[in-house]
């Protein structure tokens, strides 16, 4: 039986200008107010689930890659980090803020911050959840002014690569002299 592979976010570093719009859109999308100004006025904490990093002269956002066999899920001692059919998530109510998930994430896409759960302040992990509660998809993708971010589906990417390889093969055959003539 084929295992379902969920979507992931892809960054085009040639398009990213490092404007941090994705971080702001992410933080706003995960508030009750739904906007930065609304969250500030309502005294909500803003937690981004991605961050822009700079490597040499290139800036690009880093976020969870939604690993199929996610190491963060395997090490979580409380089961707060879990995998659904389409994404990896954190239940902040169950999280004890131990940072094991941070240490094993190969992309550095998890951070621990103070949050409020059931009226109590606590430290808990935060990571990209692909804005699953947002019908129009990830807020970072929608907000990116240069379209550097896109939501990708592994099977579609494999199909696209197969089509491109088949096209190259046919073009190469067409440019070959006909055999036997």
């Amino acid at each position: 039986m084929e295992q379902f592979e969920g979507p992931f976010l892809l960054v085009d570093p040639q398009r990213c200008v490092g404007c941090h719009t994705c971080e702001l859109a992410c933080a706003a999308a995960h508030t009750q107010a739904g906007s930065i100004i609304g969250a500030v006025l309502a005294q909500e904490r803003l937690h981004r689930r991605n961050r822009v990093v700079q490597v040499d002269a290139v800036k690009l956002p880093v976020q969870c890659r939604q690993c199929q066999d996610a190491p963060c899920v395997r090490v979580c001692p409380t089961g707060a980090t879990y995998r659904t059919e389409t994404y990896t998530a954190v239940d902040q109510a169950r999280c004890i803020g131990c940072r094991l998930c941070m240490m094993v994430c190969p992309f550095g896409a998890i951070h621990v911050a103070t949050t409020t759960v059931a009226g109590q302040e606590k430290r808990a992990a935060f990571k990209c959840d692909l804005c699953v509660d947002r019908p129009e998809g990830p807020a970072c993708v929608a907000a990116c002014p240069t379209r550097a971010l896109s939501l990708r589906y592994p099977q579609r990417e494999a199909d696209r690569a197969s089509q491109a390889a088949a096209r190259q093969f046919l073009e190469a055959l067409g440019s070959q002299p006909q055999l036997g003539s």
Side-chain angles (χ1 to χ4, degrees):
M1 182 173 173
E2 186 173 327
Q3 188 172 13
F4 178 80
E5 290 187 60
F8 63 95
L9 292 171
L10 182 67
V11 179
D12 182 345
Q14 294 180 332
R15 288 183 172 215
C16 181
V17 295
C19 65
H20 300 261
T21 301
C22 55
E23 291 179 359
L24 295 171
C26 175
H30 289 87
T31 63
Q32 293 291 320
S35 70
I36 298 292
I37 299 296
V40 169
L41 292 174
Q43 299 181 345
E44 286 186 71
R45 285 196 169 96
L46 294 165
H47 295 285
R48 58 165 172 67
R49 274 104 173 132
N50 58 359
R51 66 186 168 103
V52 175
V53 299
Q54 183 163 353
V55 179
D56 298 327
V58 178
K59 292 181 180 178
L60 66 155
V62 173
Q63 66 281 319
C64 177
R65 303 290 297 184
Q66 308 301 330
C67 302
Q68 193 67 36
D69 184 23
C72 58
V73 172
R74 283 187 270 129
V75 301
C76 183
T78 64
T81 305
Y82 60 96
R83 175 93 188 141
T84 70
E85 188 172 286
T86 55
Y87 71 105
T88 305
V90 176
D91 178 350
Q92 273 119 13
R94 297 178 71 179
C95 181
I96 58 174
C98 68
R99 297 183 175 94
L100 287 174
C101 55
M102 282 178 55
M103 290 187 279
V104 299
C105 177
F107 302 100
I110 301 173
H111 72 277
V112 173
T114 301
T115 188
T116 304
V117 176
Q120 300 290 317
E121 281 196 3
K122 67 180 287 191
R123 303 281 288 170
F126 288 86
K127 61 169 287 312
C128 173
D129 60 3
L130 297 174
C131 292
V132 294
D133 295 331
R134 192 171 179 270
E136 57 271 37
C140 58
V141 172
C144 181
T146 61
R147 304 177 94 178
L149 288 166
S150 58
L151 186 64
R152 299 296 178 102
Y153 295 84
Q155 187 58 52
R156 288 186 200 162
E157 294 305 310
D159 291 346
R160 191 182 340 243
S162 296
Q163 290 277 329
R167 188 175 324 276
Q168 280 184 314
F169 178 69
L170 292 174
E171 288 172 3
L173 283 179
S175 67
Q176 298 293 316
Q178 296 293 323
L179 296 176
S181 53

